[in-house]
Amino acid sequence: MIIGYNKGLKKTMRQVELVAQTDSTALILGETGAGKEIIARHIHMNSARANNNFIRVNCGAIPTDLIDSELFGHEKGSFTGATSLKKGWFERAHGGTLFLDEVGELSLAAQVRLLRVLQEGTLCRVGGEKEISVDVRIVAATHRNLEESSRNGGFREDLWFRINVFPITLPSLRHRPEDIRELTEYFAQKASVKLGLPLTLPSQSQINYLMQYHWPGNVRELQVIVERAAILGQGTHLAIEESLIIKPELLSSVARSHLLDITHQESSPISLDDVIRQHITKTLIYCHGRIEGPFGAAKRLDINPNTLRSKIQKLGINKFNSA
């Protein structure tokens, strides 16, 4: 299930469905945590190769000296520790799809070998002499700008052209806020099952709160936040606000613009003290007058509790006033 299929990912999914029907190489571009593997699996499952293997390779997690052996396999005795023949990822993905996640992390030497396999459809295991034919569909993904890397010499230009047959840009979560409610409810259901807790769903105010956040960790970060909120709520509620304390620098661009608009009201300009007074008052109301502790206003405002008390006194704020 891909959440956002007909909403925030509608344009992306049109591209995905088109390329899935072909055998072309696809390149998924997007930030870390945006869900590139889910898109790659969808391409595979909706292709003619769906009944064969889908193998994911994290190119950035394999030591450089093992890349050749992992990608292309090795013969018995080809190096110290090679006690038996090993088929590499290409051979294991024969007839199916090989997902090269974070392909931009491959060393230049590994890129040369990869390019040869993509061009010729054959490989030679480490320590071997026999050419082996492989029939593999490649789906690659990266959070890097490979076009820029190719110009700077960090990624081979010829390999870039080879894998950039059909690029798919996966939007970050902050660019698809319409999907936040459905994603949050989905992750709440998963957390309920995983933790063995009663299912609790987010309120509209909590969804509004989540939509203010910049989401540098994207969908993966939202999943972590919701699971933490489920643990803190212990089946009685989702403790979203306790799980995610939004600092000003991590507000979304929309929320930040709204905050800045307060200082640019042409009809009734207000002073900086008034802006600070409004912000502290709203935070205190949200925290039910609490100043200290993990859920207090000082924590949310990221200042020392004594500093906050001083500002409250200076600005004449009644911390228990809910108006």
Side-chain angles (χ1 to χ4, degrees), residues 34 58 75 79 84 111 118 148 157 234 281 314 317-318:
N58 186 341
E75 299 287 347
F79 55 85
S84 61
Q111 290 176 33
L118 295 182
E148 183 178 331
E157 188 177 50
Q234 284 298 293
T281 300
K314 176 185 176 182
I317 298 171
N318 179 0

Side-chain angles (χ1 to χ4, degrees), residues 186-199 223-224 226-228 230-231:
Y186 173 70
F187 290 139
Q189 292 169 358
K190 288 190 68 175
S192 172
V193 173
K194 178 180 178 180
L195 302 171
L197 293 170
L199 174 62
Q223 181 175 6
V224 171
V226 173
E227 183 171 332
R228 185 187 305 153
I231 295 171

